Amino acid sequence: AQRVTRLAEHCRRYDVPLPAAAMQFPLRHPQISTIVFGTGRATAVQKNIAYAGWDIPDELWQDLASDGMIA
């Protein structure tokens, strides 16, 4: 729970929803080209599409790495 709180704090500083960062994080790895999210509701599909296209500044990833949250 503490780790999630720290991740959310970093995301808030850059006005990035935590789910958007979580969804886009694996795509930063050169061997990952696709992610698949399942859902049973149309509203969740719409949110996932928005999160997938959310503009996440490089500074967020740099801050997460500096804080030891990601490699």
Side-chain angles (χ1 to χ4, degrees):
Q2 186 179 29
R3 182 175 175 82
V4 173
T5 300
R6 286 176 50 207
L7 287 165
E9 288 171 359
H10 281 284
C11 288
R12 261 193 301 277
R13 278 188 232 132
Y14 293 94
D15 196 29
V16 173
L18 182 58
M23 181 179 284
Q24 292 186 37
F25 175 71
L27 294 172
R28 295 178 50 77
H29 193 283
Q31 292 182 329
I32 305 293
S33 62
T34 305
I35 54 174
V36 178
F37 284 85
T39 184
R41 296 182 311 238
T43 55
V45 171
Q46 293 167 345
K47 283 184 180 180
N48 286 345
I49 290 169
Y51 292 149
W54 201 278
D55 185 29
I56 299 179
D58 288 335
E59 292 83 6
L60 171 59
W61 304 119
Q62 293 166 1
D63 283 357
L64 290 171
S66 293
D67 194 23
M69 302 300 294
I70 62 173

